[in-house]
Amino acid sequence: MIDLTPATRRTGGLLASIPDSALGGPTPCARYPLGGLLHHLDGLSLAFTWAATKDPKTAESSRGPSGDGALLEDGWR
């Protein structure tokens, strides 16, 4: 089994250091500014969690690709 703990800790540390003023900034992925990329990562995290726990979230998982930084929820960090 792959231990994702080091990767999740590093990601959490990075997320905590991102100021709101940076969310509109560019990323290496031309499709997403930083806020959009974070929203996309949030959606992927949920999808992988549901898949791992065999929890069918049809309404949420059928919403299609995510990637809109304006949709980041309060407390997203």
Side-chain angles (χ1 to χ4, degrees):
M1 179 179 288
I2 298 171
D3 181 8
L4 296 176
T5 303
T8 58
R9 284 189 179 143
R10 184 168 183 192
T11 301
L14 289 171
L15 294 176
S17 70
I18 298 172
D20 287 342
S21 61
L23 295 178
T27 67
C29 180
R31 183 174 176 184
Y32 299 114
L34 183 57
L37 190 61
L38 293 172
H39 186 248
H40 186 68
L41 177 64
D42 182 54
L44 286 173
S45 298
L46 288 173
F48 284 121
T49 299
W50 296 332
T53 60
K54 310 287 190 268
D55 185 6
K57 300 286 187 183
T58 55
E60 293 88 351
S61 63
S62 66
R63 69 181 178 207
S66 59
D68 183 348
L71 298 177
L72 285 170
E73 296 181 14
D74 290 339
W76 61 268
R77 285 176 187 84

